[in-house]
Amino acid sequence: MTNVRARLIVVLVVLCGFLSVLGAGPATAATPTDSLWFDGSPLTVQNGSFVDSYGRQVVLRGYNVSGETKLAENGGLPFASVADAKKSATALRALGGGNSVRFLLSWAYAEPVRGQVDTTYLAAATAQMQAFLDAGIRVYPDFHQDLYSKYLFNSGSWYTGDGAPKWAVTLGSYPQESCGICLFWGQNITQNSAVTKAQYDFWHNNYGLQDSFLATAQSTMTYLQQHLTTDEFAGVVGFDPYNEPFAGTYDSGQTSRTWEQNLLWPFYVKFRARMDAAGWSAKPALVEPNLFWNSNISSQVQEGGLLDAGTLGSRYVFNTHFYDQKAISGILMWGNAADGQYSTDFGTVRDRATAAGTAAIVSEFGHPLSGTVAGKAPTVLKAMYQALDSRLPGSTWWSNPAGSGPVLSGTQWQWDIYNGRHSELMNDNPDKVLTTGDAWNDEDLSAVNMTDSGTVTLRQDARLLDRIYPSATAGTTVAFTYEDRSRDGSTTLTWNPVPSTLPNVSSLVGSGQYGLLMWRSNSSTAPTELHLPASFPAASTTVVSDLGAVSGVPAYTSSTAIGYANEPGGTGSHRLLLSASGSGTLHYALITNGASSPSSTLLSAAKSELATWSASHS
């Protein structure tokens, strides 16, 4: 073992030295438009949260960019051009309210020839990534795979995959791919012997597959570190090593839990070492457990969640996905989702991250927007966002806000501006040109598309996607909720009405949207920051807080307790900034676009009610 470790260190040193000639060290970039003095600091993981250099708890919300990376039409890149990436970044902020993206990368395009990293691909990916970073949007790259590789599939197959390059598949001489009677593409994960054998080989490092992947990952990270500016690299949160890992098949006597312990976790430790060697030592690895660990179909659940990895601490983040497979099946869940539908599921994520001593992120969640189950999407997505905001259903939130738990970070699947207008040759077959939906295994989950004139538009209710959330809390979050009043058809969904015991607050909110944050300050010099949707312009936004009560929020200044400002990046999106002094002091802030020009009497009465309520429920 000592000799193997020594040889590995030599290889790492030589590789780092070789890569250093690919580009000079990063320069200093201009500060993004509309930035304020506290913007742009790198994140670390502390006490179970993402934290910026001012000690503020940061919540990441956004989208996966994008499933286009799975396709060949744009060479494994999220966008056809940097111009499209910039257009998408602006829309993602202004329309979708996102402050972060999970940026998909392809091993197949990064290493098309074994041992040869394609720097042309890395340069193009870096330029597209910069479009988001320069718009003030944080990024975490993800080496994506589904069903291991498209090269496992025949040109006439019903399904396809993405991830590993052709040479990696050729090494394995895998059997003819067949899923048998499969109604959903995901069944290939466990039923297609070509896929299961290829997955097995990767996790056992047969043919040196894992070694090659890790080397390419290090080369990619080194390239990014060298070709992003200092300010841009500060906006890179960390790296997601491997999408939705699964064993393929288990060895005799092996369980899902021992597979995680003996194969998956050691892979993450190796990846972590590659991050360190590439100059990413200050950034966490966002590691995913066995993808079936939190399935909501009992027959699919496999024990996992990195239970034997010990305390993950600041160098790892617990990273998981959640889809309601019952709802997607169209059979196992009749009807729509309801208030608190996913409180338990997302509470499990919170609990697992807490037990592991680290932050959590739900890097994929979503629901089909076409097909037989698309009618469930408005309620399913509302319930998922509700569960990200708080572990409580709306029916009990006001009576027990302190039970909310931490606000979870999450990136919805997905943000594909080419949705419905693709030109993808499925499995390189010129007779199977896919144009509809996401152009991948009949999926259609993109929150956006693009008009003929090139305008990015939302395919989902803006009230659902563009949300208030505490993007940076100067202290510790005690409780948070947001009632978005999103629609299911013509029906307004109100799952968290203000209780009648707070009549003045109820009158102030009326039928409007509202968010409520409770937090304890920590003497941070930077303010608490909440994203404001486009439906909350300054003139019609009301804030009732222990810091004051205002209708028509003034522009932020260093001496303004409650202020309104642009978000960085010049995208036209806005934020609320709350400046509180002291340490350990309980603060609250209600933000609403309900009552128009409320009287000072109503504001004062609402403030009095909230002061009494918060003091008795903290």
Side-chain angles (χ1 to χ4, degrees), residues 150 303 598:
K150 83 170 188 177
E303 186 180 24

Side-chain angles (χ1 to χ4, degrees), residues 17 23 28 117 153 179 197 264 291 333 367 394 429 452 520 537 610:
T28 300
V117 175
F153 292 83
C179 192
K197 289 181 183 300
L264 181 61
L291 77 98
M333 184 188 107
H367 189 82
N429 186 341
D452 291 341
R520 291 192 181 276
L610 285 172

Side-chain angles (χ1 to χ4, degrees), residues 64-288:
N64 281 262
V65 179
S66 71
E68 177 67 19
T69 301
K70 302 181 183 185
L71 308 182
E73 63 185 7
N74 284 322
L77 294 167
F79 302 97
S81 65
V82 173
D84 277 1
K86 289 180 178 179
K87 178 188 297 185
S88 199
T90 298
L92 189 140
R93 268 282 208 193
L95 301 179
N99 67 356
S100 59
V101 293
R102 182 176 182 238
F103 192 98
L104 274 61
L105 297 170
S106 169
W107 179 20
Y109 285 91
E111 190 187 6
V113 177
R114 188 170 199 178
Q116 298 180 27
V117 175
D118 187 343
T119 54
T120 300
Y121 173 76
L122 296 185
T126 302
Q128 293 187 9
M129 195 179 295
Q130 286 172 312
F132 290 87
L133 293 166
D134 293 346
I137 296 171
R138 297 186 188 272
V139 170
Y140 61 103
D142 154 51
F143 261 120
H144 209 78
Q145 72 81 38
D146 295 281
L147 309 184
Y148 190 70
S149 174
K150 83 170 188 177
Y151 298 106
L152 289 171
F153 292 83
N154 304 311
S155 62
S157 177
W158 291 359
Y159 301 106
T160 190
D162 69 286
K166 187 174 183 178
W167 61 260
V169 171
T170 302
L171 286 171
S173 299
Y174 298 112
Q176 183 81 6
E177 62 88 7
S178 174
C179 192
I181 302 175
C182 287
L183 300 178
F184 304 100
W185 71 260
Q187 291 175 268
N188 284 271
I189 298 170
T190 57
Q191 293 177 217
N192 188 326
S193 61
V195 173
T196 60
K197 289 181 183 300
Q199 290 172 326
Y200 179 93
D201 281 348
F202 180 85
W203 295 113
H204 288 78
N205 197 26
N206 293 337
Y207 315 110
L209 289 167
Q210 198 175 113
D211 291 339
S212 292
F213 175 84
L214 290 168
T216 297
Q218 183 178 337
S219 299
T220 299
M221 289 185 284
T222 301
Y223 189 96
L224 289 170
Q225 192 273 337
Q226 292 180 344
H227 290 81
L228 294 173
T229 67
T230 301
D231 289 345
E232 288 167 345
F233 192 57
V236 176
V237 176
F239 209 109
D240 183 344
Y242 198 90
N243 180 68
E244 296 184 350
F246 179 65
T249 56
Y250 295 116
D251 289 317
S252 177
Q254 189 178 55
T255 66
S256 57
R257 180 167 178 171
T258 59
W259 173 78
E260 279 195 350
Q261 181 182 21
N262 298 325
L263 289 173
L264 181 61
W265 182 248
F267 166 75
Y268 287 146
V269 172
K270 293 174 187 176
F271 195 96
R272 174 72 264 180
R274 299 291 183 139
M275 291 179 70
D276 295 346
W280 292 55
S281 59
K283 300 180 185 295
L286 287 73
V287 294
E288 302 183 33

Side-chain angles (χ1 to χ4, degrees), residues 408-428:
L408 287 175
S409 294
T411 47
Q412 182 176 331
W413 186 272
Q414 64 162 328
W415 189 274
D416 174 19
I417 63 174
Y418 309 114
N419 175 272
R421 53 179 65 240
H422 292 281
S423 183
E424 174 70 5
L425 278 61
M426 183 177 180
N427 295 319
D428 299 324

Side-chain angles (χ1 to χ4, degrees), residues 44 94 101 106 132 232 265 316 328 372 490 526 530 541 570 582 602:
T44 56
V101 293
S106 169
F132 290 87
E232 288 167 345
W265 182 248
Y316 299 90
I328 292 173
T372 58
S490 60
L530 296 100
T541 295
L602 179 58

